[in-house]
Amino acid sequence: MERDPVDLLQPLWRALVVFRVITFGFACLGVWTRWEGIARPSGAVLQLVIMAIWTLISSFGYSRRWGRRNTRLAFADLVVTAGCMYATLFAQPLIDIRGGASVLTSVWAAGPVLALAISRGRDGGLLGAATISLALLSLRGVDNAAKVLSNVQLLLVAGLVVGYAASTMRRAGDRLREAIATESATAERLRLSRSIHDGVLQVLAQVQRRGHAIGGEAVELARMAAEQEVALRTLMAARPVTADGDQTDVCSQLLPLATTRIDVVVPAGPVLLPAAAAGELVAAVKEALSNVDKHAGDDARTWVVVEDLDDAVLVSIRDDGIGTTPAQLEQARVDGHLGVSQSIRGRITDLGGTATVRTAPGEGTEWELKVDR
């Protein structure tokens, strides 16, 4: 059987192949033990030959990826199996079957129920169980419905249980594939990061030092090298957006904000918030950084620090610019400058959080934005 390292349904398909072979043996044994009571033995032999051929074909298909991934084989199995059930009429008259003679397919007829349950989940299992049950009831007759009720119940339960198990395993397989893909991407990113760190970043750092030492036009080259170094470091530090339901990682949205004048420091693991809350928090941080760019001075540097407080997320934005006074902030609000009151405080307040600012002339400005989970 072809192997797929993340196909958790392989054991179920393998068990189905074994089930098909064993139950065909039971059908042969049933014909042998009832040989004297079969009206047309040649018809029974013909039926067993057809069943044997289809058992080989279906078992081969379920052992290959195309048979497992393509539900057409399972539907074909359902049609052929129902046909084999009616082929019992070649061996026994309908009146004898309704009088108590066995349907020669026996438990072998449950094969397509399990196949559809594995390939299509609960609904596929119920469809297979209903089809085989109707075929059985049509052969036995409505008058004998009570006698075949136990068989119908077993088919329905098998379809439900196996279908539910297959659906659960399929979801687990999808998550495993995602985890493997993420792990592979992380490993590749780490490999590239080491290569960049050992080569490109060292060259850029050397260009910065030499450019500032030479002076003149080389200073502009040093500045460009510094910008590229920050861009590469940001790319190296970037990580996939982590999501858990409607939760998203705040850090993955803040890391790209780093520049030569802005340092972003985040925890090693994801810091999750509802997607809407994360978007508003990031927007407030961007507004605070915009204020730094406008008012803190050309040489001001900024540090954005994310802290995971378990029950809340705290983001600090601190700069070493010229600072201001609370009175000036209030006057700006009165004059209609709503960046602080609406874009920062308003956003955080609407989230049920708090926005605190500390500033003084010559001491820079520090915002603390806290959002409860």
Side-chain angles (χ1 to χ4, degrees):
M1 182 175 288
E2 298 176 12
R3 295 191 59 79
D4 182 347
V6 291
D7 187 2
L8 301 183
L9 295 177
Q10 276 194 1
L12 291 180
W13 289 113
R14 191 177 293 114
L16 175 60
V17 171
V18 174
F19 174 85
R20 267 307 206 189
V21 174
I22 292 177
T23 53
F24 173 71
F26 286 159
C28 292
L29 180 62
V31 170
W32 181 70
T33 56
R34 301 183 184 93
W35 187 259
E36 298 298 332
I38 296 176
R40 292 185 288 272
S42 59
V45 172
L46 176 61
Q47 180 179 7
L48 290 179
V49 170
I50 296 173
M51 290 171 60
I53 294 172
W54 183 249
T55 297
L56 292 174
I57 294 173
S58 61
S59 297
F60 178 80
Y62 295 142
S63 300
R64 295 294 181 268
R65 186 174 301 175
W66 60 265
R68 301 193 299 268
R69 300 286 177 85
N70 193 336
T71 56
R72 283 182 293 184
L73 178 61
F75 281 113
D77 194 2
L78 181 64
V79 173
V80 173
T81 299
C84 287
M85 293 176 67
Y86 285 110
T88 302
L89 296 174
F90 295 147
Q92 294 282 27
L94 182 61
I95 190 172
D96 290 348
I97 296 175
R98 294 186 173 179
S102 298
V103 176
L104 300 185
T105 51
S106 184
V107 73
W108 184 84
V113 177
L114 302 180
L116 285 168
I118 297 172
S119 62
R120 300 298 293 266
R122 178 199 61 192
D123 294 342
L126 288 178
L127 173 64
T131 302
I132 297 301
S133 297
L134 288 174
L136 183 61
L137 285 171
S138 66
L139 286 169
R140 288 294 189 185
V142 178
D143 294 338
N144 295 311
K147 296 180 180 179
V148 299
L149 182 60
S150 60
N151 293 331
V152 172
Q153 290 175 335
L154 286 175
L155 289 171
L156 290 173
V157 169
L160 281 171
V161 173
V162 175
Y164 177 77
S167 298
T168 302
M169 295 173 72
R170 188 172 287 108
R171 287 193 295 268
D174 292 340
R175 294 194 181 109
L176 180 58
R177 289 187 189 92
E178 293 174 1
I180 291 174
T182 300
E183 183 180 1
S184 299
T186 301
E188 180 64 14
R189 188 164 55 251
L190 289 174
R191 186 188 67 80
L192 291 175
S193 296
R194 287 193 295 268
S195 176
I196 292 172
H197 182 273
D198 294 341
V200 180
L201 290 180
Q202 293 183 9
V203 172
L204 290 174
Q206 181 68 13
V207 171
Q208 291 180 63
R209 289 193 295 270
R210 294 292 295 165
H212 287 296
I214 295 171
E217 295 182 357
V219 173
E220 177 65 15
L221 183 62
R223 183 189 65 79
M224 295 173 61
E227 291 177 353
Q228 292 304 310
E229 180 185 5
V230 171
L232 280 174
R233 290 189 183 277
T234 301
L235 179 63
M236 291 164 57
R239 56 200 190 196
V241 177
T242 302
D244 182 10
D246 67 337
Q247 304 278 307
T248 190
D249 181 17
V250 175
C251 301
S252 63
Q253 299 184 45
L254 291 178
L255 281 169
L257 300 180
T259 68
T260 55
R261 295 172 51 194
I262 301 174
D263 291 328
V264 180
V265 182
V266 300
V271 178
L272 298 179
L273 276 177
E280 289 295 285
L281 177 58
V282 171
V285 172
K286 289 180 178 179
E287 181 62 27
L289 294 176
S290 176
N291 285 341
V292 173
D293 185 57
K294 294 175 183 177
H295 308 298
D298 294 338
D299 297 327
R301 290 186 59 83
T302 309
W303 293 266
V304 179
V305 181
V306 181
E307 298 180 67
D308 190 345
L309 305 180
D310 292 332
D311 61 342
V313 175
L314 177 65
V315 180
S316 303
I317 307 100
R318 178 173 62 84
D319 68 72
D320 60 359
I322 61 176
T324 185
T325 65
Q328 289 175 317
L329 289 176
E330 178 61 23
Q331 185 61 44
R333 184 190 69 80
V334 173
D335 293 341
H337 301 291
L338 303 179
V340 170
S341 63
Q342 295 297 324
S343 295
I344 300 178
R345 281 201 176 99
R347 279 190 167 98
I348 303 304
T349 300
D350 288 346
L351 296 175
T354 58
T356 306
V357 60
R358 289 187 289 273
T359 184
E363 297 184 6
T365 303
E366 181 177 7
W367 281 96
E368 285 191 353
L369 310 180
K370 184 178 181 182
V371 177
D372 295 332
R373 283 195 167 101

